Amino acid sequence: MATIGNIKRVSAVFTVGATETDPTDLTVRVRAPDGPEASYVYGTDAEVTRTAVGRFRFDLTGTQAGEYIVRFEGVGAATAADNEKIKFTSSGFSS
């Protein structure tokens, strides 16, 4: 769980067999608590970072309270998809 305004790092590892492998194309999809969805593409959008062969991360900044869903979708050389749910809450203080 994280507080609104903070960054939560989400990561994914892609493998073929036991070997970490970069997917040919990687998209990270994010669904906000109120429903809108955004897509980020590795190699196009700076929000998606490759940290090593087959390893990627996405830094999510929570802008509203509730549950976000982050989905990594790799295709091509390493095809896989995985979701992670992240909950953001208010700090309990007024600004």
Side-chain angles (χ1 to χ4, degrees), residues 26-32 36-42 44-48 58 69-73:
L26 173 65
T27 301
V28 178
R29 294 172 43 201
V30 179
R31 180 171 297 146
E37 187 177 297
S39 294
Y40 304 88
V41 177
Y42 173 69
T44 301
D45 297 304
E47 293 86 353
V48 184
F58 179 83
I69 301 172
V70 178
R71 180 176 176 85
F72 285 81
E73 298 176 341

Side-chain angles (χ1 to χ4, degrees), residues 13-88:
V13 178
F14 292 86
T15 59
V16 174
T19 303
E20 293 180 1
T21 305
D22 288 341
T24 305
D25 295 303
L26 173 65
T27 301
V28 178
R29 294 172 43 201
V30 179
R31 180 171 297 146
D34 61 353
E37 187 177 297
S39 294
Y40 304 88
V41 177
Y42 173 69
T44 301
D45 297 304
E47 293 86 353
V48 184
T49 305
R50 179 180 179 263
T51 58
V53 173
R55 294 179 176 265
F56 297 84
R57 73 172 189 231
F58 179 83
D59 289 339
L60 173 65
T61 301
T63 57
Q64 57 186 280
E67 186 175 80
Y68 287 76
I69 301 172
V70 178
R71 180 176 176 85
F72 285 81
E73 298 176 341
V75 297
T79 300
D82 194 25
N83 294 352
E84 185 170 336
K85 294 179 180 180
I86 301 162
K87 187 172 184 176
F88 283 86

